[in-house]
Amino acid sequence: MHTTPHHCFVSSVLDWTERESPFIFWMFMLGLTYISRIMVNPIVALVDSEQIFRLIIDGIRILRVVIISVDLVLYVLLWNFRWIHSAVKAVIIGAGIIMIAADMVTLYYWRSLFDAQMLDILLVTTFNEGFEFAETFIADWVFILFMAGAVVVILIMYRLRKAVLLFTAIMIVTTFQEVIMFPAIFKEFYLTSHNANYLSIYRMASMIQTVRAEWHEYRAILDRKPKEITLTRNDSSIPYTVFILGEATTRNHMSLYGYNLPTTPNLVRRKQEGGLHVFTDVVAPHSYTIIVLQKLFNFYRYGGTEKWFTYTNIFSILKAAGVHTAWLSNQERNVYYYPGTVYESACDYVGYVETIFNWKRKKTYDGELLPLLDDFLKKSAEKNFCVIQLMGGHSDYSRRHPPEYAKFTASDMTGGYEGITDRQQQIRAEYDNAMLYNDFIVDEIIRRFEGKNAVVIYISDHGDEVFDSVDFMTHGGEKPYRNIIEIPFVIWTSPKFRQAYPELEARIASSVNRPYMTDDMIHTLLDITGIETPEYDPAKSVINPKFDSSRIRISSGKLYDKETGLHEIQ
C-alpha cells in the first residue's frame, strides 16, 4: 500500500508524541514550581485576581513552549543515538526532581524559590546546623504529609499512561504553532535568560555557575596581597573594644526591651546601675547570617555595587592602626567562602569552640567561649579589638542552653498567633530559655572587663520569629516579620572608660533612640576607636553628631518602618 508524505508526517508526530509524552509531562510537572514566582513576587501585592490569573496562564504557556522546544531539539539532534538521548533526558529529569524538592522546601518555609543566594547559604551551612534543621523538618508533620501526598500523586500519575499521553498531546497541539511558525518571536522571547529559568536544569546550571564564579573571585581576593590601608586619622587608644555578635536573637523577647518575661535580668540590672546604653530602634539588613556578615564588618552596605569581599574590612584597618585583633566563635569553622573566613584571616588571634564536623552531636554551649576569651586576655596587647560570635538563639532552641536554664515552660507563655498549639508554646518557652542563658553569657563577658578601660558592644546578626504573629518559626527568605530583623543593640562602658572618654560616653548616651541599620556598623566602630579612612563617613555612625537619621532602611528587600513594620517597596 502506498503511503503518502502527509500520512508519514502524521505517523511520525504520533510516534514522537507517544514516545516523548512521559518526558514532556514530567518536565512540565517538575517545572510548575517556577510559575509560583508570581505568588512570591512583590507585584502580586499590586495586582488584582484577574491579573494574577493571567500571569499564571502566561507562565504555563512559557513553560510548555520551552519544554517542547527543548525536547524537539534533543530528538532531532540525537535521534540516531537513542542511549545518549535517554541519558540526557534522565539527567534533565533528575535535575527537575532535585529542583522541585528544593523549591517545595523553600516555598513552604520561606515563601521563596531556591536560588543562587540560597545555594550560597546551603554551602556555608555547617554539619550541625544542617542536622538541627533536618530535625525541625522531622517534627513538622504538616510538611511531611504534604511531601508524602506529592509522592502519592506522582505514583498515581505514573500509572495513568493514557491520561499522560492525552495531556501531552493537548500540550503539543496548543504549542506546536508557536514553536514552528514564529521562530523570531521564540528566539527573542522564550529563550531569554529569564524564561529559560523555567527549565530546571538551566536553573541548576545557572546557579552553580554563579556561585562558582563568585567562589573563584573570592579566592583570588584571598590569595592576593592585602591592599594597603590608608589611615587619615589614628587616635586609637582604647585598651579593650569588645564586639559580641549574637545569633537569631530578637529584641522583642528580651525583658530589657519590655518583654513580659524576665529573660534578661543581668542586662536589666546593668542598665539600672548605669553604663549600659540600650539602643531602641535598630534593625538587621537581612535575615541570613552570611548576608549580614557580608555587610557588618566592612564598607559594603545595601545598594553596594561591588562584591562584598572587595571592600575594606575593619580588621585590616585596625591592624594598620596598631590594634591587636581577635576572632572567637562558637559557630563551626567553615571551609567555603564564609565571611568569617575573610575576617579571621586578618586577625592576630583566632579561637573556635566547634570543629568543622561534630559527628558526636555534642551540645557546645556559648559558655565554652569563656575559656577562649580568658586565654586571649592573657595574650592581649596595649590596644585590642575582639569579636565574640555566639550561637545565641539559633534553632534548635533547646540545644542553646544547659538544663539548669530551662526556667520557662509552655504554661508561662502568653500571646502567640491565633491558633497556636501547646507544642509551639513550648518551642517559644525554649527560645526564652535560650534568651535567659544568652543574658548570662553576655553578662559574663562584660564582667571580665569591669576593672579595665573597655567598651563592650552587643548586637545580634538578625532575630527569629517564634510563632508570635504567624504560624512560623526561625528566619530566612523574604518573610515580612518584625521579630526577624528587629535586633538588640547595647553598648556597655566600664567606669575607667567613662572617666577616660567622657565626650565619647556622652555621644553614645545621646544616640540611643536614633534609627539605625547595622550594615553601617563599621563607621560606628571606627568612630568609637578614633580611626578614620577615606571610606569613613560620620553621617553613617549612629553615635556621631553628623549622623543622618533620614536614611530609608531596606531589610531583606523590604521597606522598614518602626511603627508599621515591613512593607513591599512601591
Side-chain angles (χ1 to χ4, degrees), residues 129-146:
E129 286 180 320
F131 198 94
E132 289 180 2
F133 194 60
E135 288 179 326
T136 301
F137 278 163
I138 292 171
D140 194 334
W141 291 107
V142 175
F143 181 72
I144 292 172
L145 290 173
F146 176 71

Side-chain angles (χ1 to χ4, degrees), residues 372-391:
L372 291 178
L373 176 59
D374 293 336
D375 184 65
F376 164 72
L377 289 174
K378 294 176 184 176
K379 302 172 182 177
S380 60
E382 181 181 351
K383 298 181 295 183
N384 304 273
F385 177 80
C386 178
V387 171
I388 306 172
Q389 186 182 25
L390 309 178
M391 278 298 284

Side-chain angles (χ1 to χ4, degrees), residues 211-254:
V211 172
R212 180 175 177 274
E214 190 164 296
W215 163 247
H216 283 293
E217 189 176 349
Y218 164 81
R219 290 305 313 175
I221 293 291
L222 278 187
D223 296 337
R224 191 181 306 163
K225 182 180 178 182
K227 62 181 179 180
E228 187 174 340
I229 303 297
T230 300
L231 301 179
T232 56
R233 171 176 167 241
N234 184 10
D235 294 334
S236 58
S237 61
I238 302 173
Y240 295 97
T241 303
V242 181
F243 193 99
I244 306 173
L245 178 57
E247 169 72 50
T249 301
T250 177
R251 66 172 181 254
N252 301 323
H253 273 251
M254 300 174 72

